[in-house]
Amino acid sequence: MRRSLILIAAAFGGTSIILGAFGAHALRNLLTPPFLNAFEIGVRYQMYHALFLLFVALAPVSDKARKGISALTLLGVVLFSGSLYLLALDEAWKVGLSFLGPVTPIGGFLLICAWAWLFLDFARKKS
């Protein structure tokens, strides 16, 4: 489980760097500032949660908590950052992805739940 989690964290971290560079260079002249900002927020949160997953992989948490936190974080990043990427790119693509708007807060809620689970798992420990 820890090995898989470290691999996922590395993949999230690496792709966030790639997407950040893509946004800074390729999208700079394609997107208006609000859409470029949304794309950058997706990149930032993906990187934050790559580091979070790395911490969870190495932290002294229960296996149940590690699995739950990992699942919530993985799905949360895909929904939160993924929807922001697609919504931002829709400005250039014009394919009508605005229906994804409600997906972003669902992903954010899952990320909050992952952090809360980590908090509760540590709060329950005696030392």
Side-chain angles (χ1 to χ4, degrees):
M1 175 71 194
R2 289 178 186 222
R3 182 179 185 280
S4 297
L5 200 49
I6 291 170
L7 290 170
I8 292 167
F12 272 3
T15 56
S16 72
I17 293 168
I18 292 166
L19 289 168
F22 175 71
H25 300 288
L27 299 179
R28 185 178 1 166
N29 297 322
L30 281 175
L31 303 180
T32 60
F35 286 94
L36 188 58
N37 184 53
F39 191 90
E40 290 171 353
I41 289 170
V43 169
R44 195 174 323 130
Y45 274 73
Q46 182 175 332
M47 179 57 84
Y48 293 158
H49 288 89
L51 298 172
F52 178 67
L53 285 174
L54 196 56
F55 173 78
V56 169
L58 302 173
V61 297
S62 68
D63 286 338
K64 179 182 177 184
R66 185 173 287 109
K67 287 178 185 173
I69 292 166
S70 302
L72 288 170
T73 304
L74 180 61
L75 187 57
V77 167
V78 168
L79 294 178
F80 183 83
S81 293
S83 65
L84 285 176
Y85 298 147
L86 292 173
L87 287 166
L89 289 170
D90 189 44
E91 184 186 33
W93 294 342
K94 308 233 185 293
V95 293
L97 297 175
S98 61
F99 68 91
L100 291 173
V103 172
T104 309
I106 294 169
F109 177 73
L110 294 175
L111 295 172
I112 292 167
C113 289
W115 283 91
W117 195 336
L118 178 67
F119 176 86
L120 291 173
D121 193 71
F122 269 91
R124 288 184 185 132
K125 293 189 186 308
K126 301 279 186 212
S127 57

